[in-house]
Amino acid sequence: MSKIQRIGVLTSGGDAPGMNAAIRAVVRAGIASGCEVYGIRHGYKGMIYGWMKEMTSKDVRNIIQRGGTILKTARCEEFKTQEGRKMAYEQLSANKIDALVVIGGDGSFTGAGIFSKEYDIPCVGIPGTIDNDIYGTDFTIGFDTALNTVVEAIDRIKDTASSHDRMFFVEVMGRGAGFLALHSGIATGAEAILIPEENGQEEKLRKHMQSGVNKRKASSIILVAEGNNVGGAQEIATKMAAEFPDYSIRVNVLGHIQRGGSPSAFDRFLASRLGTAAVEALMDDQRSIMVGWQNHDVVLVPFNKTLKGTRNINQKLLDVADILTI
Ligand code: ADP
Ligand code: F6P
């Protein structure tokens, strides 16, 4: 029997569709394991200020299909300080919370890892971010939904692009990672994809535009990952418009639309699996680990491994994108 009696659950960093499904899974799996589960609001900020209360099975009814996070989320600078984490520990102690489940990205896991070491509290992380940039898991909760949102938006843009014979530069999120751009680029048949993980992209784009002029290509989509090395979609488009006046160019920055919306079936499934796995891991006395998804199954990855590793882009996907745009 595990010693854990009360689990705290929070969402932290950027929200992602499927976080609610993960909260639901943690609450219900925790109760099924004989624990009480406390929801901590506004991420680490709520831990510092004691914004936490018990959640029942009923509290998580009818949320599996909702985007965002009912617990709310935050980026909290105070938690990066020793004083902030001490206040957080005092609040957890006062509320008799003896284990934590953190749903978020690698920043959130960094905080959880430090906190767990300082105060000897078992912490388990669930990867939740639309960026899919966490080492040790094939997918993060929210990526699939965001990807489908981007694909739907680009399909719409393509209708107007082809009607006017225009070139669109579409900027997608992903922070320093190009997964959203690369996967959506392949899924929509984009003519070029600019991602942070590849060098020499400006020249490649120029060649592509030159060949498009030569081939008199009617319309095209240039996918721009926000973290790429050339610049933002507007900046690149302005530069290219000056160099290639034959093109009629428009820009579309998709922005936070990518973060909202009802989670896809896959994200709900993943969140349900990882949420229950997180509680199982705590019951098995695991600590400072992330529950991840590899080869269609749950894996436990130590925080130090997931935080040190870099999730690389699959070179094969870059080749596929190149081959399919000729
Ligand atoms: P994500 O979890 O999506 O990567 P952030 O990088 O914004 O998002 O991190 C979320 C929160 O995790 C931060 O606002 C902060 O509270 C906490 N955090 C991040 N890095 C650290 C750190 N080095 N020490 C303590 N807490 C951290
Ligand atoms: O990490 C998720 C993400 O949406 C990134 O893709 C993006 O760079 C960032 O968060 C935006 O953060 P904010 O919502 O704070 O503007």
Side-chain angles (χ1 to χ4, degrees):
M1 271 288 279
S2 161
K3 296 187 295 292
I4 295 169
Q5 292 183 331
R6 198 172 277 177
I7 300 169
V9 59
L10 60 86
T11 48
S12 169
D15 62 303
M19 280 185 163
N20 281 327
I23 295 167
R24 171 180 177 269
V26 171
V27 170
R28 293 201 169 159
I31 293 169
S33 304
C35 296
E36 288 171 341
V37 183
Y38 270 47
I40 303 171
R41 288 165 69 80
H42 300 275
Y44 291 127
K45 190 159 191 201
M47 225 159 101
I48 293 175
Y49 293 100
W51 301 333
M52 49 191 86
K53 72 171 175 64
E54 188 176 356
M55 293 180 88
T56 64
S57 193
K58 242 172 144 183
D59 290 328
V60 292
R61 203 165 58 184
N62 211 18
I63 63 167
I64 195 166
Q65 77 281 20
R66 282 173 56 191
T69 156
I70 59 161
L71 287 177
K72 301 190 183 277
T73 184
R75 303 197 200 269
C76 172
E77 285 305 308
E78 266 174 291
F79 196 70
K80 292 184 179 169
T81 66
Q82 273 188 343
E83 305 79 69
R85 292 192 297 273
K86 183 167 177 283
M87 283 170 73
Y89 175 69
E90 285 163 2
Q91 288 294 346
L92 290 191
S93 300
N95 285 280
K96 297 193 167 48
I97 291 172
D98 44 22
L100 267 187
V101 175
V102 172
I103 306 167
D106 50 4
S108 304
F109 296 166
T110 305
I114 296 171
F115 185 71
S116 176
K117 246 192 216 146
E118 275 174 353
Y119 293 104
D120 196 26
I121 289 211
C123 292
V124 171
I126 300 180
T129 162
I130 65 163
D131 302 337
N132 208 32
D133 58 349
I134 300 183
Y135 180 82
T137 186
D138 295 342
F139 294 103
T140 56
I141 295 166
F143 173 68
D144 183 65
T145 307
L147 175 60
N148 280 289
T149 303
V150 172
V151 166
E152 193 190 328
I154 293 175
D155 286 349
R156 287 168 192 261
I157 290 170
K158 282 178 83 160
D159 288 343
T160 176
S162 79
S163 303
H164 285 268
D165 288 346
R166 278 180 173 151
M167 169 177 274
F168 269 80
F169 284 77
V170 182
E171 184 176 307
V172 301
M173 281 185 167
R175 215 180 257 188
F179 295 99
L180 256 186
L182 183 57
H183 286 240
S184 59
I186 291 174
T188 56
E191 276 66 25
I193 309 170
L194 275 59
I195 56 171
E197 293 85 350
E198 225 191 357
N199 293 320
Q201 295 202 307
E202 189 163 349
E203 246 349 274
K204 200 167 155 190
L205 175 62
R206 210 165 261 122
K207 271 195 197 131
H208 165 79
M209 296 196 60
Q210 189 59 50
S211 79
V213 172
N214 297 342
K215 281 195 256 170
R216 302 214 173 280
K217 199 156 187 175
S219 70
S220 49
I221 300 290
I222 311 296
L223 239 290
V224 180
E226 64 177 354
N228 82 85
N229 311 311
V230 188
Q234 184 62 59
E235 190 188 337
I236 304 170
T238 306
K239 205 175 196 180
M240 293 300 149
E243 288 183 38
F244 299 95
D246 286 354
Y247 283 96
S248 169
I249 291 178
R250 292 290 185 275
V251 176
N252 209 285
V253 178
L254 294 184
H256 287 79
I257 281 175
Q258 297 162 90
R259 284 243 294 267
S262 178
S264 66
F266 179 76
D267 277 330
R268 298 179 200 195
F269 169 84
L270 184 64
S272 303
R273 279 299 277 118
L274 296 185
T276 47
V279 173
E280 276 165 24
L282 284 176
M283 295 301 121
D284 285 345
D285 290 328
Q286 296 283 347
R287 51 173 55 223
S288 296
I289 54 128
M290 171 188 79
V291 285
W293 189 249
Q294 287 177 23
N295 301 318
H296 309 284
D297 210 352
V298 173
V299 288
L300 306 186
V301 188
F303 275 153
N304 57 16
K305 210 166 168 193
T306 187
L307 293 171
K308 270 194 207 128
T310 306
R311 178 135 162 58
N312 292 320
I313 288 280
N314 181 347
Q315 182 57 43
K316 188 76 197 157
L317 293 184
L318 290 172
D319 298 343
V320 167
D322 281 346
I323 291 167
L324 298 184
T325 52
I326 52 173

